[in-house]
Amino acid sequence: MTDDRPKPMEVLRQARAQLAELTGMTAESVSSFSQTEDGWSLEVEVLELERVPDTMSLMGSYEVELDPEGQLTGYRRVRRYERGRADARPGGR
């Protein structure tokens, strides 16, 4: 019996590529990643608006859901911020 499920790094790469293709924006990094009962859940940091200096660029944090095979099933922006700003939310959340 072989395990046909994708490896975590494959899921990360697929998620970034699929989100970039759907939104037309650059998916820069994955800030959280977990396997769920329904597949995978990730939070991906996306460059939404490039500015000069780079610390003023607008970033978006997207919650991304994938099925067990790593295909994107949904996403939503959960936060927007300037790249150079520290997270000011209470408790660092």
Side-chain angles (χ1 to χ4, degrees), residues 16-60:
R16 288 177 63 184
Q18 291 176 71
L19 185 63
E21 186 175 347
L22 284 170
T23 63
M25 296 180 281
T26 303
E28 292 200 345
S29 64
V30 176
S31 56
S32 72
F33 174 74
S34 63
Q35 193 166 11
T36 66
E37 288 182 12
D38 299 324
W40 306 88
S41 178
L42 296 85
E43 193 160 319
V44 180
E45 305 308 312
V46 172
L47 176 61
E48 291 194 340
L49 180 61
E50 193 167 5
R51 291 184 175 161
V52 176
D54 189 49
T55 54
M56 298 301 291
S57 292
L58 287 180
M59 303 293 293

Side-chain angles (χ1 to χ4, degrees), residues 3-20:
D3 186 359
D4 291 333
R5 291 179 299 176
K7 292 179 172 54
M9 286 307 296
E10 293 169 352
V11 172
L12 292 174
R13 282 188 209 101
Q14 287 178 356
R16 288 177 63 184
Q18 291 176 71
L19 185 63

